[in-house]
């Protein structure tokens, strides 16, 4: 289960600092080795009902010692006595775990698709399933022109960027320029409407989120990965009927990708304390049937996609049928559900929806609330 809680981070000299007190509960005796300290905190976490007690302890100890995993520590580091400062840092970080803070937030950063991303509450923590969504998008992109235009790398819109995990991992693995050759002024043009520099053939992303903390965190992660020149990060609420033209600085997009809020409202109270206490509920709660944001994305997407452009969504396992029914209830919306993929646990988790023709209805006409979705109860 820690894998479900941990899908992307690390520790940067202790984001919470180490404001030490002379004595704290559960403090181990001096002179213990890293292995002994892991065992000590595993027992404490188990006694307090902390999920994945050993994994939590190993991550904290490893990061204080400058490693990503306990298993990657050199054998000598596992057996030599820890310094008082190291013990105190482990104590401090472990106290947050006892308060059910997710390990991602405690450590402050984590790896997602091989990228080291900063994590900070209350921004949504990317899960392992979302890495599978990224892999599926990359598979489809490499298959050819049905997903990506002939001009080169795809133009992508991510709705609900959170930490930037999806957008930045896609950019890191998609083309930067035609043929991968050196930059040349001949490869640069300018979109006439927006005056945004356009590198022909370069993969680019517009990432949107309604949360200020998410926008700031995506900016920071883009900077630390040196991908800031290929991403436009925009505060935007997809549920509001407002101008969307500024989402298209480079023209219509090839792909819309999203891991939207999709938890059924009645299921929110059953989420783990790590989620309920620390993560933004707006990034989780999808409304009565978990469909509120999904239907807004689908209503808006035809205005943003190129002909035959695609939408990739991560959803609840109950949603493939519900989304299919909703699309059937919108005959003027040129979207077809073309594929459903299962996650590593065998649950139907990901949707591929394709724009199938010219737009025949304005997004306002198809907007959820103005034209109620006929979704089975």
């Amino acid at each position: 289960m820690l894998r479900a809680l941990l899908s992307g981070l690390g520790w940067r000299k202790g984001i919470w600092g180490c404001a030490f007190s002379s004595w704290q509960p559960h403090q181990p005796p001096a002179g213990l080795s890293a292995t002994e300290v892991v065992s000590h905190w595993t027992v404490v976490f188990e006694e307090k009902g902390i999920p994945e007690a050993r994994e939590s302890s190993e991550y904290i100890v490893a990061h204080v010692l400058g490693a990503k995993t306990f298993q990657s520590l050199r054998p000598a580091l596992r057996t030599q006595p820890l310094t008082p400062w190291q013990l105190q840092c482990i104590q401090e970080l472990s106290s947050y775990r006892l308060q059910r803070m997710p390990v991602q937030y405690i450590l402050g950063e984590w790896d997602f698709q091989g990228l080291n991303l900063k994590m900070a509450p209350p921004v949504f923590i990317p899960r392992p399933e979302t890495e599978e969504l990224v892999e599926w998008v990359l598979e489809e992109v490499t298959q050819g022109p049905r997903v990506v235009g002939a001009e080169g790398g795809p133009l992508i819109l991510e709705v609900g960027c959170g930490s930037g995990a999806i957008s930045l991992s896609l950019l890191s693995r998609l083309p930067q320029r035609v043929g991968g050759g050196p930059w040349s002024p001949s490869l640069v043009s300018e979109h006439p409407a927006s005056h945004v520099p356009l590198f022909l053939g370069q993969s680019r992303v517009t990432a949107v989120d309604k949360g200020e903390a998410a926008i700031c965190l995506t900016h920071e992660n883009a900077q630390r990965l040196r991908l800031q020149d290929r991403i436009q990060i925009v505060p935007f609420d997809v549920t509001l009927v407002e101008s969307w033209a500024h989402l298209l600085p480079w023209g219509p997009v090839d792909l819309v990708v999203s891991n939207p809020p999709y938890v059924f409202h009645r299921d929110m109270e059953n989420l783990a304390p790590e989620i309920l206490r620390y993560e933004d509920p707006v990034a989780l709660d999808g409304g009565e049937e978990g469909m509120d944001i999904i239907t807004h994305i689908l209503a808006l997407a035809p205005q943003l996609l190129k002909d035959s452009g695609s939408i990739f969504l991560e959803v609840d396992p109950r949603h493939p049928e519900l989304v299919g029914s909703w699309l059937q209830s919108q005959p003027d919306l040129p979207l077809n559900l073309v594929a459903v993929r299962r996650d590593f646990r065998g649950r139907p988790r990901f949707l591929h929806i394709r724009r199938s023709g010219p737009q025949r209805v304005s997004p306002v006409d198809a907007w959820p609330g103005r034209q109620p979705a006929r979704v089975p109860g």
Side-chain angles (χ1 to χ4, degrees):
M1 170 156 170
L2 188 64
R3 192 180 176 213
L5 291 174
L6 270 91
S7 179
L9 75 185
W11 181 62
R12 205 172 181 180
K13 302 274 190 285
I15 61 168
W16 307 108
C18 289
F20 304 141
S21 58
S22 59
W23 181 88
Q24 295 182 20
H26 316 297
Q27 190 169 20
L32 295 185
S33 68
T35 299
E36 292 169 327
V37 171
V38 165
S39 297
H40 169 84
W41 282 107
T42 297
V43 171
V44 173
F45 289 155
E46 286 175 343
E47 290 176 348
K48 299 299 181 179
I50 304 300
E52 301 295 338
R54 174 161 289 276
E55 287 86 348
S56 296
S57 179
E58 286 181 343
Y59 273 111
I60 290 171
V61 172
H63 279 283
V64 169
L65 295 180
K68 288 188 176 181
T69 66
F70 191 77
Q71 291 69 28
S72 68
L73 285 171
R74 291 185 290 108
L77 283 178
R78 298 186 201 178
T79 56
Q80 70 186 32
L82 298 183
T83 68
W85 182 88
Q86 290 169 332
L87 289 170
Q88 201 65 57
C89 266
I90 292 167
Q91 166 83 30
E92 198 69 23
L93 298 180
S94 296
S95 70
Y96 286 102
R97 189 70 189 107
L98 288 171
Q99 298 171 47
R100 302 298 291 266
M101 179 176 282
V103 174
Q104 294 93 329
Y105 292 155
I106 295 171
L107 304 179
E109 59 190 13
W110 196 259
D111 287 349
F112 180 91
Q113 283 280 314
L115 301 180
N116 187 253
L117 300 173
K118 180 177 179 179
M119 297 283 146
V123 179
F124 181 77
I125 299 167
R127 272 53 172 183
E129 291 88 344
T130 306
E131 297 201 43
E132 295 184 275
L133 175 65
V134 170
E135 289 294 337
W136 192 20
V137 173
L138 290 169
E139 287 175 21
E140 294 292 333
V141 165
T142 58
Q143 286 179 2
R146 286 308 302 258
V147 174
V148 183
E151 69 277 8
L155 303 178
I156 302 168
L157 170 68
E158 184 190 0
V159 179
C161 57
S163 64
I166 293 176
S167 291
L168 297 173
S169 58
L170 288 172
L171 283 176
S172 72
R173 296 177 62 184
L174 288 170
Q176 294 190 43
R177 284 184 282 279
V178 175
W183 178 87
S184 164
S186 64
L187 293 176
V188 182
S189 66
E190 191 173 85
H191 190 274
S194 62
H195 304 290
V196 175
L198 172 60
F199 294 84
L200 300 179
Q202 180 174 254
S203 304
R204 297 173 300 281
V205 170
T206 297
V208 305
D209 203 294
K210 66 185 289 185
E212 181 180 357
I215 292 294
C216 292
L217 190 57
T218 296
H219 270 293
E220 185 167 348
N221 281 323
Q223 291 280 346
R224 68 191 283 164
L225 296 170
R226 299 183 180 180
L227 291 168
Q228 68 273 14
D229 293 336
R230 297 171 60 198
I231 186 169
Q232 176 190 225
I233 304 164
V234 183
F236 184 77
D237 186 347
V238 73
T239 67
L240 300 179
V241 181
E242 58 183 39
S243 172
W244 42 264
H246 65 292
L247 302 182
L248 304 175
W250 302 294
V253 299
D254 297 285
L255 306 172
V256 173
V257 184
S258 183
N259 176 18
Y262 60 69
V263 178
F264 286 49
H265 182 71
R266 62 181 177 272
D267 296 337
M268 286 290 293
E269 63 183 17
N270 299 322
L271 297 177
E274 284 83 351
I275 300 171
L276 287 175
R277 294 180 189 176
Y278 295 99
E279 291 191 85
D280 184 359
V282 174
L284 295 157
D285 192 341
E288 183 179 358
E289 296 291 340
M291 290 276 289
D292 287 2
I293 304 302
I294 293 171
T295 52
H296 279 93
I297 292 171
L298 296 177
L300 179 64
Q303 310 299 313
L304 307 174
L305 285 168
K306 297 177 181 178
D307 291 342
S308 299
S310 290
I311 307 164
F312 290 90
L313 299 175
E314 180 178 326
V315 297
D316 183 276
R318 293 166 285 185
H319 279 145
E321 181 180 353
L322 296 180
V323 169
S325 297
W326 187 85
L327 289 173
Q328 290 177 6
S329 77
Q330 306 288 333
D332 290 329
L333 206 61
L335 297 174
N336 291 322
L337 176 59
V338 295
V340 178
R341 178 172 285 199
R342 296 180 181 272
D343 63 20
F344 61 85
R345 293 189 177 94
R347 300 168 299 189
R349 178 67 68 185
F350 312 109
L351 306 181
H352 181 187
I353 298 163
R354 183 175 290 134
R355 191 181 191 278
S356 57
Q359 177 74 7
R360 289 175 289 164
V361 63
S362 74
V364 174
D365 293 334
W367 214 255
R370 293 177 180 261
Q371 187 172 340
R374 297 193 290 274
V375 177

